[in-house]
Amino acid sequence: MFQIFEKAIMGMALLRILSGSIEIFVAILILRINDIEKALFVNSSLALVGPIILMITTTIGLVGLSEKVSFIKLIWIFGGVACILYGVKSN
């Protein structure tokens, strides 16, 4: 009946739940602020949360896969995540 999840899966899922909760909280906060300049500031602060959660969840997943994936593939995955973060931060 109950399925036991791996620790890495639980960690990744909990971080995503936390990230989603932060997004919902900020949406409610923006509605309460009701000022475009302050709302834009609060919204742009989420740009810090997203990449941090992405890096942490990817790291947790890769640690969970470290026994199954070769070192070269891990480097490629980290390189891909670095490219995503660079693309998001570039102006």
Side-chain angles (χ1 to χ4, degrees):
M1 190 96 153
F2 291 103
Q3 185 178 15
I4 298 175
F5 297 104
E6 293 184 31
K7 289 181 183 178
I9 295 294
M10 286 299 293
M12 292 171 72
L14 289 174
L15 278 171
R16 285 298 172 183
I17 290 170
L18 174 67
S19 176
S21 299
I22 291 170
E23 294 272 347
I24 291 170
F25 173 74
V26 168
I28 294 169
L29 185 64
I30 287 172
L31 289 172
R32 287 187 52 103
I33 289 173
N34 199 25
D35 180 18
I36 191 71
E37 288 145 3
K38 291 177 183 175
L40 188 58
F41 175 76
V42 171
N43 186 59
S44 61
S45 67
L46 281 177
L48 297 174
V49 174
I52 291 170
I53 297 292
L54 172 68
M55 288 299 293
I56 294 171
T57 54
T58 303
T59 303
I60 291 171
L62 288 176
V63 167
L65 280 177
S66 63
E67 300 167 349
K68 302 173 187 174
V69 178
S70 70
F71 183 70
I72 297 297
K73 287 184 180 179
L74 288 175
I75 291 174
W76 276 107
I77 293 170
F78 272 120
V81 171
C83 288
I84 291 170
L85 292 176
Y86 178 75
V88 169
K89 286 196 97 159
S90 295
N91 291 332

